Amino acid sequence: MKNGSQYLLKLKSKAIVIRQKQLFLGGTPSDKQLRILVACEESQVVTIALRKQGHKAYSCDIVPTTGNHPEWHIQDDVLNQLNKGWDIMIAFPPCTYLTVSGNAWMHDPLRQKERKKALTFIRKLMKAPIDKIAIENPVGVISTAIRKPDQIIQPYHFGDNAKKTTCLWLKNLPLLVPTKIIDENKLEYKYWYDKKKKSWRRQPLWYYKARELSPDERRRVRSKTFPGIANAMADQWTAKNIHSIAV
């Protein structure tokens, strides 16, 4: 896989250059305790990573947290929390009506209406009166209806043995630097023969295993942020002088 190897080398080189630039500009953990809103997160994976860095981070969702720290969770519509003096917002809005994979069902007027509501929600998050903003979502209609993402990342860029194409829309935050790149050809997949299409198919193993769960639990597992990405966000987006290299 010559092309794959060349891409991996290019990605590693780019990561080194960006990291050197961050270090030169003072990209070290901030001494200031930042107030960070982690929007639409019930798992608290990112919130806990930020708390470990010493910051005052709170998850916010309309449902109770499934994390271990309800004292760090705001159960509310996040739109009610945008004007409360946050330094950073990292948002994980629901992607049900926004993904490309959902286009096949968009002939349904109800789903069309829900997609419009979802895009309105995204626009409100982007316009929030917060200096630094990151919005995460899979590949979907945000790119065409609003704007293209500033960065597309994978969990295997950050040490997790998984593939999940993830888009980031950033305001005054730097691109995430890969921390531990795993060769894509070494990732774990589930292979099976599709009798209907008469061809072999594959899915990332972590994604396939979620099929055994209930619909609600499956949705939570598939939307949860991988630890490597969460740690990179907590480390790199709370660094000193990040405004110097921000998007």
Side-chain angles (χ1 to χ4, degrees):
M1 299 295 290
K2 186 177 179 180
N3 291 338
S5 299
Q6 290 176 342
Y7 172 75
L8 197 63
L9 288 171
K10 184 178 179 180
L11 190 61
K12 286 181 178 179
S13 299
K14 185 177 180 180
I16 291 171
V17 170
I18 295 175
R19 189 56 179 161
Q20 288 176 336
K21 188 175 182 181
Q22 285 181 325
L23 291 171
F24 177 75
L25 292 169
T28 55
S30 175
D31 295 328
K32 176 187 175 184
Q33 186 184 55
L34 301 171
R35 295 187 72 251
I36 305 172
L37 177 64
V38 187
C40 312
E41 185 194 49
E42 50 79 24
S43 69
Q44 295 194 313
V45 173
V46 175
T47 299
I48 291 171
L50 290 161
R51 285 275 175 169
K52 287 180 179 178
Q53 293 279 7
H55 299 293
K56 202 171 182 180
Y58 290 90
S59 56
C60 180
D61 207 330
I62 57 175
V63 298
T65 179
T66 56
N68 296 320
H69 296 279
E71 71 277 16
W72 298 343
H73 186 68
I74 302 169
Q75 188 175 341
D76 189 17
D77 182 339
V78 70
L79 298 181
N80 297 329
Q81 302 295 323
L82 301 181
N83 292 285
K84 297 193 175 180
W86 304 101
D87 296 302
I88 302 174
M89 176 177 68
I90 304 173
F92 302 89
C95 64
T96 306
Y97 300 103
L98 297 172
T99 60
V100 169
S101 60
N103 286 346
W105 295 275
M106 276 303 131
H107 61 276
D108 182 346
L110 180 59
R111 294 185 71 91
Q112 291 176 13
K113 183 178 179 181
E114 291 299 324
R115 173 170 280 187
K116 289 180 181 178
K117 286 170 59 178
L119 286 168
T120 297
F121 182 63
I122 296 293
R123 291 186 179 96
K124 288 180 179 180
L125 292 178
M126 288 182 171
K127 293 178 181 179
I130 301 171
D131 182 51
K132 297 177 176 63
I133 296 174
I135 296 175
E136 179 267 9
N137 231 242
V139 176
V141 297
I142 299 176
S143 300
T144 52
I146 302 178
R147 69 176 178 88
K148 294 185 181 300
D150 297 293
Q151 185 177 20
I152 298 177
I153 59 174
Q154 293 282 356
Y156 64 81
H157 295 166
F158 301 88
D160 289 302
N161 194 314
K163 184 174 183 178
K164 180 186 177 185
T165 305
T166 303
C167 301
L168 299 173
W169 288 263
L170 306 173
K171 172 189 171 185
N172 294 330
L173 286 170
L175 303 180
L176 286 179
V177 179
T179 54
K180 183 181 178 182
I181 299 173
I182 298 175
D183 190 333
E184 185 178 355
N185 296 317
K186 296 180 180 179
L187 301 181
E188 296 177 324
Y189 291 95
K190 169 65 178 180
Y191 294 85
W192 76 94
Y193 187 76
D194 189 328
K195 294 181 180 179
K196 188 175 181 179
K197 295 185 177 181
K198 297 182 180 180
S199 63
W200 282 93
R201 298 184 62 190
R202 75 174 187 179
Q203 277 186 334
L205 186 59
W206 72 272
Y207 191 89
Y208 182 85
K209 284 183 175 180
R211 293 173 58 174
E212 303 169 2
L213 304 173
S214 67
D216 285 344
E217 186 63 23
R218 181 165 62 245
R219 176 184 55 79
R220 282 196 291 268
V221 167
R222 287 178 173 176
S223 64
K224 186 181 293 187
T225 304
F226 281 87
I229 292 177
N231 290 332
M233 289 175 171
D235 176 28
Q236 298 177 33
W237 287 346
T238 64
K240 292 179 182 177
N241 297 335
I242 56 175
H243 59 276
S244 300
I245 50 175
V247 172

